[in-house]
Amino acid sequence: MAGLELVSDAGFRADGRRPDELRKVRARLGVLARADGSAYLEQGNTKVLAAVYGPHEVRGSRSKAPPDRALLCCRCSSAPFAGGGERRRRPPQGGGDRRSGERALLLRGVLEGAVLGQLYPRSQIDVHVQVLQADGGELGASVSAAGLALQDAGVALRGPVVAGSAGLAEPPAGPPVALSDLSAAEEAAGGPRLVVATVAGSGQLALCQLSARLHQERLRPVLDAAQAACRGLHAVLDGVVRASDPLGDTRTLPWPQ
Amino acid sequence: MAPPARYCVPGERLCSTEEATAGSGTYTRHGFIFSSLAGCLERKNEDNELPVVSVVRDSESQLLPNVGAVVTCKVCSINSRFAKVHILYVGSTPLKSTFRGTIRREDIRATEKDKVEVYKSFRPSDIVLAKVISLGDAQSNYLLSTAENELGVVVARSEAGVQMVPISWCEMQCPRTHTKEFRKVARVQPQFLQT
């Protein structure tokens, strides 16, 4: 079992965090001047950049656009220098591969639940997310960054979108411990990984993705840990969005240290 | 100095629907008004009704043409059945990216629709005031209409390249060569006439 490396006897994880502690979060809105909305998010060593264009006219095939709501086009890609957590034989292919396509589909599902699409009929909103450095939790960081970029673009949302991940460590001596916000080394250890996304801080989940196997009795603590990760991230990102108010007291935004 | 306005984020509960009505940038759910944009809260008091609560951002997000809006567009190509236009302004707000629209032959005029000739109503690069009648379906773009007196061509250039002067509802004259050309001219609103 991988419990030995994940949580030490003293209760610390490999990178020195407690099981319920999140990695350091830094975020900034409006980093791209040409995009309608953009956001940069760092969670630990995972760095993600999101850009939103729209709502604009539907380009390409008009028949794909639903008549009463906006068409959301999401595209996820990984920079060639992003690394990738585990060793890859091929470098990231920049958005055309299956992993990015799956991530884009999941992102679209989350955002369709969050965006008030009825206000923009017959229009298209493009969301582009690029992972600049991958160190675990790229799907969650992509979802959170896309939510920030949509807020920066002024697209009407039901609420802020945040995502978090959680896993399980089973040390040989002691009860299983749920870990919040997995890093790449913890994901590579092979245990279960649950990614959830919530909208508006309500208890409802917009995304729930589990990889590897998880026993039914262990689901509750892992789900609670993931939702707690979402709440913690939401608290930080809420402060970032409010601090980016152009009429607020902080006229010059210092880069968070 | 005015007190600092409250900044709200999407999903923030503002008040209940009994205290105010929802304006732009908000949505209602379960009897409460929530914010849908990250911006400043504005409360406008109306005399006999509930105050209107809205959330405003300093940089307006893209405005979309909706049905019944008067838009300013530029003709890009004409056909015997319709004219294709690029929508530039919605009301008086410029659009960041142009939308495409179509003015069908039967929507150019209100009277004598079957005798309309598109070539005698619009020419490419004319600036036209039109009204949106439909958002379009899967095959077509925005459908526009100029079937009112105040809608139609406002700015047009003659074959000589000079801006023409309107002389009637169906003709414009070039000031340099004094040739008359047919257009469906918009009637100028009295408040825009210089005396």
Side-chain angles (χ1 to χ4, degrees):
Chain A
M1 282 302 295
L4 273 175
E5 299 102 40
L6 288 177
V7 179
S8 74
D9 293 332
F12 291 105
R13 288 152 81 171
D15 51 2
R17 289 185 284 155
R18 293 236 163 244
D20 57 347
E21 204 177 316
L22 304 182
R23 291 176 290 181
K24 181 162 185 182
V25 174
R26 294 182 215 178
R28 184 140 186 195
L29 297 183
V31 290
L32 298 174
R34 291 293 306 267
D36 291 326
S38 56
Y40 173 75
L41 177 67
E42 280 183 20
Q43 271 186 282
N45 285 327
T46 300
K47 303 188 203 300
V48 167
L49 182 63
V52 167
Y53 293 89
H56 55 238
E57 194 183 14
V58 177
R59 292 176 196 156
S61 142
R62 247 187 107 91
S63 55
K64 267 190 232 155
D68 56 339
R69 22 185 323 125
L71 177 70
L72 269 172
C73 286
C74 299
R75 192 179 152 84
C76 292
S77 57
S78 235
F81 47 82
E86 72 269 9
R87 282 186 54 198
R88 287 197 201 185
R89 288 186 212 107
R90 277 170 288 177
Q93 285 161 42
D97 53 331
R98 272 183 53 178
R99 185 199 215 105
S100 307
E102 182 190 342
R103 207 176 276 171
L105 266 179
L106 290 171
L107 179 63
R108 186 177 158 182
V110 174
L111 295 182
E112 276 187 351
V115 171
L116 292 169
Q118 301 87 349
L119 298 175
Y120 312 107
R122 293 240 151 254
S123 70
Q124 179 176 336
I125 302 176
D126 292 324
V127 180
H128 298 270
V129 182
Q130 173 139 45
V131 175
L132 300 173
Q133 188 171 305
D135 190 37
E138 295 94 41
L139 174 59
S142 302
V143 170
S144 308
L148 282 179
L150 282 171
Q151 289 184 55
D152 188 47
V155 175
L157 297 173
R158 280 208 177 83
V161 184
V162 284
S165 63
L168 193 69
E170 301 197 23
V177 179
L179 307 173
S180 297
D181 196 12
L182 302 176
S183 66
E186 291 165 345
E187 284 181 4
R193 183 188 60 147
L194 181 70
V195 181
V196 305
T198 60
V199 175
S202 65
Q204 295 174 331
L205 302 179
L207 168 72
C208 189
Q209 190 208 30
L210 176 68
S211 54
R213 284 188 308 185
L214 182 63
H215 195 278
Q216 197 177 349
E217 287 164 21
R218 311 268 187 264
L219 177 62
R220 190 75 247 174
V222 175
L223 195 56
D224 289 340
Q227 287 186 288
C230 287
R231 280 194 295 272
L233 184 60
H234 174 242
V236 177
L237 296 184
D238 191 61
V240 170
V241 172
R242 285 181 199 273
S244 70
D245 168 22
L247 299 175
D249 292 332
T250 54
R251 300 259 170 190
T252 57
L253 283 181
W255 184 257
Q257 293 305 315
Chain B
M1 196 166 142
R6 183 170 140 205
Y7 195 75
C8 34
V9 292
E12 189 174 326
R13 193 168 72 181
L14 302 176
C15 60
S16 77
T17 47
E18 291 157 23
E19 295 165 26
T21 47
S24 72
T26 61
Y27 67 97
T28 53
R29 193 164 166 241
H30 296 328
F32 288 98
I33 301 180
F34 294 83
S35 164
S36 69
L37 295 178
C40 293
L41 183 65
E42 258 190 18
R43 195 183 283 262
K44 268 183 240 172
N45 287 320
E46 313 246 329
D47 292 328
N48 293 332
E49 298 160 3
L50 292 171
V52 176
V53 159
S54 57
V55 179
V56 175
R57 276 178 75 87
D58 56 342
S59 61
E60 286 294 326
S61 77
Q62 175 81 299
L63 198 62
L64 292 184
N66 48 357
V67 178
V70 174
V71 297
T72 308
C73 37
K74 184 169 185 165
V75 179
C76 59
S77 68
I78 57 174
N79 195 324
S80 60
R81 286 180 295 134
F82 51 80
K84 289 229 182 260
V85 301
H86 283 299
I87 301 178
L88 305 171
Y89 285 75
V90 174
S92 48
T93 324
L95 294 177
K96 276 182 256 181
S97 59
T98 59
F99 286 75
R100 298 181 140 264
T102 308
I103 308 180
R104 290 179 305 175
R105 186 175 145 222
E106 53 266 23
D107 297 326
I108 295 180
R109 271 200 341 226
T111 55
E112 289 186 336
K113 288 185 190 178
D114 46 338
K115 295 199 188 133
V116 169
E117 283 185 54
V118 181
Y119 193 65
K120 289 189 181 166
S121 311
F122 304 125
R123 293 285 174 93
S125 87
D126 286 354
I127 307 290
V128 172
L129 271 177
K131 186 179 272 197
V132 179
I133 51 177
S134 163
L135 301 177
D137 52 10
Q139 275 80 34
S140 67
N141 307 317
Y142 285 89
L143 280 181
L144 310 171
S145 157
T146 55
E148 278 176 35
N149 288 337
E150 283 79 25
L151 303 175
V153 175
V154 267
V155 173
R157 289 191 175 266
S158 72
E159 317 236 322
V162 182
Q163 188 160 329
M164 292 197 287
V165 176
I167 48 180
S168 80
W169 70 273
C170 59
E171 282 185 328
M172 289 181 118
Q173 186 172 30
C174 170
R176 192 192 295 169
T177 60
H178 300 289
T179 49
K180 293 184 190 172
E181 291 186 26
F182 289 105
R183 297 284 199 280
K184 198 275 176 187
V185 186
R187 181 168 67 183
V188 184
Q189 306 279 333
Q191 66 257 27
F192 297 129
L193 277 175
Q194 254 179 333
T195 48

